[in-house]
Amino acid sequence: MKDKILRLLKENNDHFLSGQGISDNLGVSRTAIWKYINSLKEEGYVINSSSKKGYQLISCPDLLTADEIGDKLHTKFIGKEIVHFQSIDSTNNKAKELAAKNTSQGTVVIAEEQTLGRGRLGRNWTSPKYKGIWLSIILKPDTNPMKVPKITQIGAAAVIESLKSLKIDAEVKWPNDIVIKGKKVCGILTEMSGELNRVNYVVMGLGINANLQKNDFPENIIDKATSLSIESNSNIDRKTLVSTLLFKFEELYEEFDKEGIIKTSVDICRKNSAIIGKDIKIINREQETFAKALDIDDNGELIVQYKDGSIEKLISGEISIRALNGYI
Ligand code: BT5
């Protein structure tokens, strides 16, 4: 009911709506409406209340709830169900829990803050409240588990494309980082549950530093991390960015879901690569190897050439890449 009242208020935000009018329209008592209005105010909606005139919505909070994103979201299945938290340990943890309980493909878990946000290999992901986009998408592709790493490339391409719509140029540091001028602005964590030749579910977690400022980053990453706000010198509209991101992701994911290929995503990652043509250090578990990044193939694998001239294709997984000078 609260969402219906909110919808009415949004549709009529240029004038007051009488309590009686809302009551007649939705078939609930005026007392119930008053309670819902109070609850909306607690969530951060600014609503003018007047005993004579009724209610008028003045402004909506900067929250990534279904109520706030839904209006802008034009997807078929990604984000049709949004599960929102003010605070949670990790959206990937929650998404995995939900996915194991038959939650449908496309469900998105979003949190305003993560208290135990995770990177790969148990690393931390800094996720301060209201400052970023911390979300996970539940996917159930009918595919072989070997193909799941491709989904990270789809996520990376979707981020690049949605940043372009904000006129922000970013680059992909294969396999799972998005960087601006060499500093990390987004990380992707793709996790899977499956058997030898069957995927039960995939959870793709995306962390985008939208409105973090320098003092929001811990000391140890302050020199290698940045945010969209710092780089564009503006405040980022998180709601619009989430809806654009989910829309772009769905478009690119459908190519994979229907045809099993990720050509469009790879083209985007290739065109906006931070490492192709560069000398890189490959870190795989504790081992470091030097090579030149030659290209990304149509499967999203990184083609590298070692000092002895031999060529290898790397599958993303747990590999990290560093350029030889600077952070990238
Ligand atoms: C990643 O791991 O980059 C994957 C990050 C995925 C985060 C999302 S948020 C929603 C979802 N729920 C989760 O719990 N996680 C996902 P990796 O490549 O391992 O990089 C981790 C490293 O990035 C850390 O060790 C830090 O050095 C650095 N880092 C941590 N927080 C950062 C931030 N906010 N911005 C930039 N760099 C950060």
Side-chain angles (χ1 to χ4, degrees):
M1 180 51 64
K2 197 163 70 180
D3 56 328
K4 288 194 180 134
I5 294 175
L6 181 58
R7 184 153 302 281
L8 263 186
L9 289 172
K10 280 187 178 179
E11 284 165 2
N12 296 281
N13 66 355
D14 56 345
H15 59 270
F16 273 90
L17 274 183
S18 73
Q20 192 58 50
I22 303 176
S23 162
D24 292 345
N25 196 317
L26 300 176
V28 277
S29 72
R30 291 182 62 168
T31 320
I33 290 164
W34 179 78
K35 281 189 185 150
Y36 286 122
I37 295 276
N38 281 344
S39 151
L40 285 169
K41 284 181 178 171
E42 269 165 32
E43 284 171 31
Y45 290 90
V46 177
I47 299 167
N48 264 352
S49 313
S50 142
S51 51
K52 285 198 190 113
K53 294 193 260 179
Y55 306 102
Q56 183 179 19
L57 179 64
I58 304 298
S59 69
C60 299
D62 177 25
L63 288 179
L64 302 178
T65 56
D67 282 334
E68 286 307 304
I69 296 170
D71 298 345
K72 302 172 193 280
L73 194 60
H74 305 293
T75 52
K76 286 178 256 176
F77 63 99
I78 301 283
K80 282 289 151 197
E81 191 72 47
I82 290 179
V83 187
H84 175 265
F85 296 90
Q86 279 289 341
S87 179
I88 200 167
D89 55 348
S90 149
T91 56
N92 262 39
N93 291 355
K94 189 65 185 182
K96 288 202 282 187
E97 188 188 311
L98 293 175
K101 286 190 210 147
N102 280 334
T103 306
S104 55
Q105 155 147 295
T107 300
V108 174
V109 179
I110 303 188
E112 300 297 339
E113 163 191 63
Q114 295 186 118
T115 52
L116 283 173
R118 292 190 289 112
R120 298 179 305 159
L121 299 168
R123 294 191 275 252
N124 292 328
W125 184 259
T126 300
S127 324
K129 202 162 195 175
Y130 305 131
K131 300 277 176 106
I133 292 168
W134 326 123
L135 65 78
S136 302
I137 308 176
I138 296 174
L139 300 164
K140 304 206 163 166
D142 182 12
T143 188
N144 187 296
M146 299 280 286
K147 295 196 172 165
V148 167
K150 293 182 182 197
I151 294 175
T152 302
Q153 304 308 302
I154 304 176
V159 173
I160 292 288
E161 288 293 279
S162 39
L163 295 188
K164 284 211 190 309
S165 74
L166 295 178
K167 304 206 166 19
I168 297 178
D169 282 327
E171 292 178 316
V172 184
K173 183 162 90 57
W174 187 95
N176 71 315
D177 291 352
I178 306 296
V179 296
I180 300 179
K181 295 185 207 134
K183 293 186 175 181
K184 184 158 168 172
V185 73
C186 161
I188 303 172
L189 174 66
T190 306
E191 298 183 290
M192 178 191 80
S193 152
E195 281 130 54
L196 266 184
N197 49 15
R198 208 191 80 194
V199 173
N200 297 329
Y201 63 79
V202 174
V203 163
M204 195 198 64
L206 268 162
I208 305 180
N209 300 331
N211 289 319
L212 285 83
Q213 299 307 319
K214 270 230 167 254
N215 57 5
D216 292 312
F217 293 104
E219 202 62 39
N220 62 325
I221 57 168
I222 207 153
D223 292 330
K224 50 185 188 177
T226 190
S227 74
L228 301 176
S229 172
I230 293 173
E231 296 303 323
S232 65
N233 214 356
S234 65
N235 189 57
I236 301 299
D237 177 350
R238 296 186 309 149
K239 300 175 201 177
T240 306
L241 181 53
V242 170
S243 52
T244 313
L245 174 68
L246 297 182
F247 184 78
K248 299 274 180 199
F249 180 80
E250 180 176 277
E251 217 172 53
L252 296 167
Y253 180 75
E254 280 199 311
E255 182 179 46
F256 173 69
D257 213 22
K258 288 188 182 141
E259 301 167 48
I261 57 169
I262 54 164
K263 194 177 174 323
T264 313
S265 296
V266 168
D267 280 346
I268 294 166
C269 293
R270 209 184 263 136
K271 218 188 281 167
N272 298 281
S273 170
I275 61 167
I276 290 177
K278 296 207 171 118
D279 289 325
I280 56 168
K281 183 161 77 178
I282 302 159
I283 308 164
N284 194 359
R285 304 218 166 86
E286 301 290 275
Q287 240 190 328
E288 296 189 348
T289 329
F290 294 91
K292 186 177 183 120
L294 297 183
D295 201 358
I296 300 170
D297 75 4
D298 284 347
N299 291 318
E301 293 170 13
L302 183 69
I303 308 172
V304 298
Q305 183 166 39
Y306 297 108
K307 291 250 156 72
D308 65 2
S310 62
I311 287 178
E312 194 184 12
K313 286 184 179 180
L314 307 177
I315 301 169
S316 59
E318 297 175 347
I319 294 174
S320 294
I321 301 287
R322 300 280 182 275
L324 294 192
N325 37 21
Y327 167 64
I328 290 195

mmCIF file of all heavy atoms in Angstrom, residues 135-173:
data_model
loop_
_atom_site.group_PDB
_atom_site.id
_atom_site.type_symbol
_atom_site.label_atom_id
_atom_site.label_comp_id
_atom_site.label_asym_id
_atom_site.label_seq_id
_atom_site.Cartn_x
_atom_site.Cartn_y
_atom_site.Cartn_z
ATOM 1 N N LEU A 135 25.901 -3.466 -5.458
ATOM 2 C CA LEU A 135 24.778 -4.326 -5.840
ATOM 3 C C LEU A 135 25.239 -5.668 -6.389
ATOM 4 O O LEU A 135 26.373 -5.814 -6.834
ATOM 5 C CB LEU A 135 23.868 -3.615 -6.847
ATOM 6 C CG LEU A 135 24.373 -3.255 -8.250
ATOM 7 C CD1 LEU A 135 24.387 -4.455 -9.189
ATOM 8 C CD2 LEU A 135 23.480 -2.195 -8.859
ATOM 9 N N SER A 136 24.321 -6.637 -6.332
ATOM 10 C CA SER A 136 24.597 -7.968 -6.887
ATOM 11 C C SER A 136 23.405 -8.423 -7.712
ATOM 12 O O SER A 136 22.261 -8.230 -7.303
ATOM 13 C CB SER A 136 24.826 -8.975 -5.757
ATOM 14 O OG SER A 136 25.893 -8.558 -4.936
ATOM 15 N N ILE A 137 23.707 -9.026 -8.851
ATOM 16 C CA ILE A 137 22.648 -9.505 -9.747
ATOM 17 C C ILE A 137 22.639 -11.039 -9.731
ATOM 18 O O ILE A 137 23.697 -11.658 -9.892
ATOM 19 C CB ILE A 137 22.879 -9.020 -11.193
ATOM 20 C CG1 ILE A 137 23.083 -7.505 -11.232
ATOM 21 C CG2 ILE A 137 21.728 -9.437 -12.100
ATOM 22 C CD1 ILE A 137 23.422 -6.941 -12.614
ATOM 23 N N ILE A 138 21.467 -11.615 -9.526
ATOM 24 C CA ILE A 138 21.342 -13.078 -9.552
ATOM 25 C C ILE A 138 21.047 -13.529 -10.985
ATOM 26 O O ILE A 138 20.109 -13.031 -11.618
ATOM 27 C CB ILE A 138 20.206 -13.552 -8.615
ATOM 28 C CG1 ILE A 138 20.548 -13.195 -7.165
ATOM 29 C CG2 ILE A 138 19.960 -15.054 -8.784
ATOM 30 C CD1 ILE A 138 19.435 -13.486 -6.170
ATOM 31 N N LEU A 139 21.882 -14.457 -11.484
ATOM 32 C CA LEU A 139 21.719 -14.942 -12.854
ATOM 33 C C LEU A 139 21.644 -16.460 -12.847
ATOM 34 O O LEU A 139 22.288 -17.106 -12.017
ATOM 35 C CB LEU A 139 22.910 -14.486 -13.706
ATOM 36 C CG LEU A 139 23.086 -12.961 -13.779
ATOM 37 C CD1 LEU A 139 24.470 -12.612 -14.295
ATOM 38 C CD2 LEU A 139 22.007 -12.342 -14.661
ATOM 39 N N LYS A 140 20.865 -17.008 -13.764
ATOM 40 C CA LYS A 140 20.758 -18.471 -13.829
ATOM 41 C C LYS A 140 20.960 -18.926 -15.268
ATOM 42 O O LYS A 140 20.032 -19.404 -15.925
ATOM 43 C CB LYS A 140 19.401 -18.910 -13.279
ATOM 44 C CG LYS A 140 19.188 -18.393 -11.844
ATOM 45 C CD LYS A 140 18.260 -19.220 -11.016
ATOM 46 C CE LYS A 140 18.440 -18.892 -9.540
ATOM 47 N NZ LYS A 140 17.419 -19.381 -8.671
ATOM 48 N N PRO A 141 22.158 -18.736 -15.799
ATOM 49 C CA PRO A 141 22.387 -19.097 -17.204
ATOM 50 C C PRO A 141 22.409 -20.608 -17.401
ATOM 51 O O PRO A 141 22.927 -21.332 -16.548
ATOM 52 C CB PRO A 141 23.772 -18.502 -17.494
ATOM 53 C CG PRO A 141 24.452 -18.450 -16.167
ATOM 54 C CD PRO A 141 23.381 -18.257 -15.142
ATOM 55 N N ASP A 142 21.846 -21.034 -18.519
ATOM 56 C CA ASP A 142 21.850 -22.454 -18.853
ATOM 57 C C ASP A 142 23.146 -22.705 -19.632
ATOM 58 O O ASP A 142 23.153 -22.761 -20.857
ATOM 59 C CB ASP A 142 20.611 -22.754 -19.711
ATOM 60 C CG ASP A 142 20.524 -24.220 -20.054
ATOM 61 O OD1 ASP A 142 21.265 -25.018 -19.448
ATOM 62 O OD2 ASP A 142 19.723 -24.563 -20.938
ATOM 63 N N THR A 143 24.243 -22.796 -18.902
ATOM 64 C CA THR A 143 25.532 -22.874 -19.583
ATOM 65 C C THR A 143 26.508 -23.720 -18.779
ATOM 66 O O THR A 143 26.231 -24.122 -17.650
ATOM 67 C CB THR A 143 26.099 -21.447 -19.806
ATOM 68 O OG1 THR A 143 27.244 -21.527 -20.626
ATOM 69 C CG2 THR A 143 26.501 -20.781 -18.508
ATOM 70 N N ASN A 144 27.660 -23.948 -19.389
ATOM 71 C CA ASN A 144 28.707 -24.712 -18.727
ATOM 72 C C ASN A 144 29.457 -23.798 -17.733
ATOM 73 O O ASN A 144 29.741 -22.645 -18.058
ATOM 74 C CB ASN A 144 29.668 -25.198 -19.822
ATOM 75 C CG ASN A 144 30.694 -26.140 -19.283
ATOM 76 O OD1 ASN A 144 31.518 -25.749 -18.451
ATOM 77 N ND2 ASN A 144 30.648 -27.366 -19.741
ATOM 78 N N PRO A 145 29.795 -24.304 -16.532
ATOM 79 C CA PRO A 145 30.500 -23.466 -15.544
ATOM 80 C C PRO A 145 31.770 -22.812 -16.105
ATOM 81 O O PRO A 145 32.133 -21.712 -15.676
ATOM 82 C CB PRO A 145 30.865 -24.460 -14.435
ATOM 83 C CG PRO A 145 29.856 -25.537 -14.542
ATOM 84 C CD PRO A 145 29.497 -25.648 -15.993
ATOM 85 N N MET A 146 32.420 -23.459 -17.081
ATOM 86 C CA MET A 146 33.633 -22.890 -17.665
ATOM 87 C C MET A 146 33.375 -21.528 -18.320
ATOM 88 O O MET A 146 34.285 -20.737 -18.501
ATOM 89 C CB MET A 146 34.172 -23.827 -18.759
ATOM 90 C CG MET A 146 34.545 -25.201 -18.281
ATOM 91 S SD MET A 146 36.145 -25.170 -17.498
ATOM 92 C CE MET A 146 37.194 -25.021 -18.932
ATOM 93 N N LYS A 147 32.110 -21.320 -18.712
ATOM 94 C CA LYS A 147 31.808 -20.068 -19.430
ATOM 95 C C LYS A 147 31.456 -18.916 -18.491
ATOM 96 O O LYS A 147 31.291 -17.778 -18.931
ATOM 97 C CB LYS A 147 30.652 -20.296 -20.409
ATOM 98 C CG LYS A 147 31.024 -21.255 -21.504
ATOM 99 C CD LYS A 147 30.046 -21.181 -22.653
ATOM 100 C CE LYS A 147 30.562 -22.018 -23.812
ATOM 101 N NZ LYS A 147 29.551 -22.281 -24.812
ATOM 102 N N VAL A 148 31.332 -19.208 -17.205
ATOM 103 C CA VAL A 148 30.870 -18.181 -16.254
ATOM 104 C C VAL A 148 31.805 -16.960 -16.146
ATOM 105 O O VAL A 148 31.317 -15.831 -16.015
ATOM 106 C CB VAL A 148 30.563 -18.827 -14.876
ATOM 107 C CG1 VAL A 148 30.402 -17.787 -13.794
ATOM 108 C CG2 VAL A 148 29.294 -19.663 -15.001
ATOM 109 N N PRO A 149 33.142 -17.149 -16.229
ATOM 110 C CA PRO A 149 33.999 -15.958 -16.151
ATOM 111 C C PRO A 149 33.664 -14.899 -17.204
ATOM 112 O O PRO A 149 33.948 -13.713 -17.008
ATOM 113 C CB PRO A 149 35.411 -16.527 -16.390
ATOM 114 C CG PRO A 149 35.325 -17.943 -15.927
ATOM 115 C CD PRO A 149 33.923 -18.401 -16.266
ATOM 116 N N LYS A 150 33.017 -15.330 -18.302
ATOM 117 C CA LYS A 150 32.650 -14.358 -19.340
ATOM 118 C C LYS A 150 31.716 -13.277 -18.798
ATOM 119 O O LYS A 150 31.656 -12.161 -19.305
ATOM 120 C CB LYS A 150 31.926 -15.053 -20.502
ATOM 121 C CG LYS A 150 32.782 -15.994 -21.279
ATOM 122 C CD LYS A 150 31.975 -16.574 -22.419
ATOM 123 C CE LYS A 150 32.819 -17.579 -23.191
ATOM 124 N NZ LYS A 150 32.311 -17.886 -24.482
ATOM 125 N N ILE A 151 30.941 -13.660 -17.778
ATOM 126 C CA ILE A 151 29.933 -12.725 -17.252
ATOM 127 C C ILE A 151 30.612 -11.487 -16.653
ATOM 128 O O ILE A 151 30.074 -10.375 -16.708
ATOM 129 C CB ILE A 151 29.015 -13.457 -16.243
ATOM 130 C CG1 ILE A 151 28.221 -14.512 -17.025
ATOM 131 C CG2 ILE A 151 28.083 -12.492 -15.513
ATOM 132 C CD1 ILE A 151 27.350 -15.403 -16.180
ATOM 133 N N THR A 152 31.827 -11.653 -16.140
ATOM 134 C CA THR A 152 32.564 -10.496 -15.616
ATOM 135 C C THR A 152 32.827 -9.487 -16.741
ATOM 136 O O THR A 152 32.742 -8.272 -16.530
ATOM 137 C CB THR A 152 33.897 -10.962 -14.985
ATOM 138 O OG1 THR A 152 33.595 -11.903 -13.959
ATOM 139 C CG2 THR A 152 34.673 -9.811 -14.385
ATOM 140 N N GLN A 153 33.143 -10.006 -17.944
ATOM 141 C CA GLN A 153 33.399 -9.093 -19.071
ATOM 142 C C GLN A 153 32.117 -8.354 -19.481
ATOM 143 O O GLN A 153 32.158 -7.193 -19.892
ATOM 144 C CB GLN A 153 33.976 -9.848 -20.278
ATOM 145 C CG GLN A 153 35.246 -10.638 -19.977
ATOM 146 C CD GLN A 153 36.308 -9.789 -19.304
ATOM 147 O OE1 GLN A 153 36.726 -8.779 -19.854
ATOM 148 N NE2 GLN A 153 36.720 -10.172 -18.108
ATOM 149 N N ILE A 154 30.980 -9.052 -19.339
ATOM 150 C CA ILE A 154 29.703 -8.396 -19.666
ATOM 151 C C ILE A 154 29.462 -7.253 -18.668
ATOM 152 O O ILE A 154 29.075 -6.149 -19.038
ATOM 153 C CB ILE A 154 28.526 -9.404 -19.602
ATOM 154 C CG1 ILE A 154 28.801 -10.600 -20.529
ATOM 155 C CG2 ILE A 154 27.203 -8.725 -19.947
ATOM 156 C CD1 ILE A 154 27.738 -11.700 -20.463
ATOM 157 N N GLY A 155 29.736 -7.550 -17.387
ATOM 158 C CA GLY A 155 29.571 -6.519 -16.346
ATOM 159 C C GLY A 155 30.479 -5.335 -16.614
ATOM 160 O O GLY A 155 30.050 -4.176 -16.533
ATOM 161 N N ALA A 156 31.724 -5.615 -16.961
ATOM 162 C CA ALA A 156 32.686 -4.527 -17.209
ATOM 163 C C ALA A 156 32.217 -3.661 -18.379
ATOM 164 O O ALA A 156 32.253 -2.424 -18.309
ATOM 165 C CB ALA A 156 34.063 -5.113 -17.491
ATOM 166 N N ALA A 157 31.749 -4.325 -19.448
ATOM 167 C CA ALA A 157 31.290 -3.569 -20.624
ATOM 168 C C ALA A 157 30.073 -2.715 -20.264
ATOM 169 O O ALA A 157 29.955 -1.558 -20.700
ATOM 170 C CB ALA A 157 30.944 -4.536 -21.757
ATOM 171 N N ALA A 158 29.180 -3.277 -19.441
ATOM 172 C CA ALA A 158 27.977 -2.513 -19.059
ATOM 173 C C ALA A 158 28.364 -1.277 -18.246
ATOM 174 O O ALA A 158 27.776 -0.200 -18.414
ATOM 175 C CB ALA A 158 27.027 -3.406 -18.261
ATOM 176 N N VAL A 159 29.377 -1.428 -17.385
ATOM 177 C CA VAL A 159 29.811 -0.259 -16.591
ATOM 178 C C VAL A 159 30.394 0.805 -17.524
ATOM 179 O O VAL A 159 30.038 1.990 -17.445
ATOM 180 C CB VAL A 159 30.854 -0.673 -15.515
ATOM 181 C CG1 VAL A 159 31.429 0.569 -14.821
ATOM 182 C CG2 VAL A 159 30.221 -1.606 -14.480
ATOM 183 N N ILE A 160 31.269 0.386 -18.434
ATOM 184 C CA ILE A 160 31.888 1.349 -19.370
ATOM 185 C C ILE A 160 30.802 2.100 -20.148
ATOM 186 O O ILE A 160 30.830 3.333 -20.265
ATOM 187 C CB ILE A 160 32.821 0.609 -20.371
ATOM 188 C CG1 ILE A 160 34.047 0.045 -19.650
ATOM 189 C CG2 ILE A 160 33.218 1.503 -21.540
ATOM 190 C CD1 ILE A 160 35.052 1.076 -19.203
ATOM 191 N N GLU A 161 29.826 1.350 -20.659
ATOM 192 C CA GLU A 161 28.765 1.973 -21.456
ATOM 193 C C GLU A 161 27.931 2.928 -20.608
ATOM 194 O O GLU A 161 27.557 4.009 -21.068
ATOM 195 C CB GLU A 161 27.854 0.886 -22.051
ATOM 196 C CG GLU A 161 28.509 0.107 -23.175
ATOM 197 C CD GLU A 161 28.763 0.949 -24.406
ATOM 198 O OE1 GLU A 161 27.833 1.158 -25.189
ATOM 199 O OE2 GLU A 161 29.910 1.409 -24.559
ATOM 200 N N SER A 162 27.630 2.544 -19.372
ATOM 201 C CA SER A 162 26.779 3.447 -18.579
ATOM 202 C C SER A 162 27.564 4.684 -18.147
ATOM 203 O O SER A 162 26.985 5.760 -18.031
ATOM 204 C CB SER A 162 26.106 2.740 -17.404
ATOM 205 O OG SER A 162 26.947 1.833 -16.800
ATOM 206 N N LEU A 163 28.876 4.541 -17.955
ATOM 207 C CA LEU A 163 29.662 5.742 -17.624
ATOM 208 C C LEU A 163 29.735 6.680 -18.825
ATOM 209 O O LEU A 163 29.747 7.901 -18.671
ATOM 210 C CB LEU A 163 31.061 5.365 -17.140
ATOM 211 C CG LEU A 163 31.103 4.595 -15.817
ATOM 212 C CD1 LEU A 163 32.535 4.437 -15.325
ATOM 213 C CD2 LEU A 163 30.264 5.277 -14.733
ATOM 214 N N LYS A 164 29.757 6.092 -20.019
ATOM 215 C CA LYS A 164 29.764 6.939 -21.223
ATOM 216 C C LYS A 164 28.519 7.821 -21.262
ATOM 217 O O LYS A 164 28.566 8.967 -21.696
ATOM 218 C CB LYS A 164 29.832 6.083 -22.489
ATOM 219 C CG LYS A 164 31.220 5.514 -22.735
ATOM 220 C CD LYS A 164 31.501 5.341 -24.228
ATOM 221 C CE LYS A 164 32.775 4.546 -24.478
ATOM 222 N NZ LYS A 164 33.954 5.022 -23.759
ATOM 223 N N SER A 165 27.382 7.270 -20.784
ATOM 224 C CA SER A 165 26.156 8.071 -20.806
ATOM 225 C C SER A 165 26.268 9.256 -19.833
ATOM 226 O O SER A 165 25.506 10.211 -19.920
ATOM 227 C CB SER A 165 24.932 7.209 -20.480
ATOM 228 O OG SER A 165 24.927 6.910 -19.107
ATOM 229 N N LEU A 166 27.228 9.186 -18.904
ATOM 230 C CA LEU A 166 27.484 10.337 -18.017
ATOM 231 C C LEU A 166 28.650 11.176 -18.536
ATOM 232 O O LEU A 166 29.163 12.056 -17.841
ATOM 233 C CB LEU A 166 27.849 9.847 -16.608
ATOM 234 C CG LEU A 166 26.813 9.096 -15.798
ATOM 235 C CD1 LEU A 166 27.397 8.665 -14.459
ATOM 236 C CD2 LEU A 166 25.605 9.981 -15.569
ATOM 237 N N LYS A 167 29.100 10.809 -19.740
ATOM 238 C CA LYS A 167 30.250 11.475 -20.364
ATOM 239 C C LYS A 167 31.537 11.270 -19.550
ATOM 240 O O LYS A 167 32.399 12.148 -19.472
ATOM 241 C CB LYS A 167 29.993 12.966 -20.584
ATOM 242 C CG LYS A 167 28.749 13.244 -21.397
ATOM 243 C CD LYS A 167 28.847 14.560 -22.127
ATOM 244 C CE LYS A 167 27.821 14.772 -23.208
ATOM 245 N NZ LYS A 167 26.617 13.978 -23.210
ATOM 246 N N ILE A 168 31.625 10.116 -18.904
ATOM 247 C CA ILE A 168 32.842 9.787 -18.162
ATOM 248 C C ILE A 168 33.552 8.651 -18.897
ATOM 249 O O ILE A 168 32.966 7.602 -19.159
ATOM 250 C CB ILE A 168 32.515 9.350 -16.716
ATOM 251 C CG1 ILE A 168 31.868 10.515 -15.953
ATOM 252 C CG2 ILE A 168 33.761 8.836 -15.997
ATOM 253 C CD1 ILE A 168 31.468 10.197 -14.532
ATOM 254 N N ASP A 169 34.819 8.905 -19.257
ATOM 255 C CA ASP A 169 35.604 7.871 -19.942
ATOM 256 C C ASP A 169 36.364 7.044 -18.921
ATOM 257 O O ASP A 169 37.111 7.592 -18.121
ATOM 258 C CB ASP A 169 36.611 8.522 -20.903
ATOM 259 C CG ASP A 169 35.921 8.962 -22.170
ATOM 260 O OD1 ASP A 169 34.958 8.288 -22.581
ATOM 261 O OD2 ASP A 169 36.345 9.988 -22.743
ATOM 262 N N ALA A 170 36.143 5.739 -18.969
ATOM 263 C CA ALA A 170 36.861 4.852 -18.058
ATOM 264 C C ALA A 170 37.443 3.714 -18.874
ATOM 265 O O ALA A 170 37.123 3.542 -20.050
ATOM 266 C CB ALA A 170 35.900 4.330 -17.004
ATOM 267 N N GLU A 171 38.332 2.945 -18.243
ATOM 268 C CA GLU A 171 38.968 1.831 -18.950
ATOM 269 C C GLU A 171 38.811 0.544 -18.158
ATOM 270 O O GLU A 171 38.672 0.566 -16.927
ATOM 271 C CB GLU A 171 40.465 2.112 -19.122
ATOM 272 C CG GLU A 171 40.753 3.258 -20.079
ATOM 273 C CD GLU A 171 42.247 3.525 -20.189
ATOM 274 O OE1 GLU A 171 42.939 3.546 -19.149
ATOM 275 O OE2 GLU A 171 42.719 3.707 -21.318
ATOM 276 N N VAL A 172 38.870 -0.583 -18.872
ATOM 277 C CA VAL A 172 38.778 -1.883 -18.209
ATOM 278 C C VAL A 172 40.189 -2.397 -17.962
ATOM 279 O O VAL A 172 40.982 -2.502 -18.893
ATOM 280 C CB VAL A 172 38.048 -2.915 -19.099
ATOM 281 C CG1 VAL A 172 37.884 -4.233 -18.336
ATOM 282 C CG2 VAL A 172 36.694 -2.389 -19.544
ATOM 283 N N LYS A 173 40.475 -2.676 -16.714
ATOM 284 C CA LYS A 173 41.735 -3.370 -16.413
ATOM 285 C C LYS A 173 41.354 -4.830 -16.243
ATOM 286 O O LYS A 173 40.836 -5.221 -15.203
ATOM 287 C CB LYS A 173 42.388 -2.808 -15.148
ATOM 288 C CG LYS A 173 43.738 -3.462 -14.871
ATOM 289 C CD LYS A 173 44.561 -2.656 -13.926
ATOM 290 C CE LYS A 173 44.374 -2.992 -12.491
ATOM 291 N NZ LYS A 173 44.564 -4.274 -11.928
#
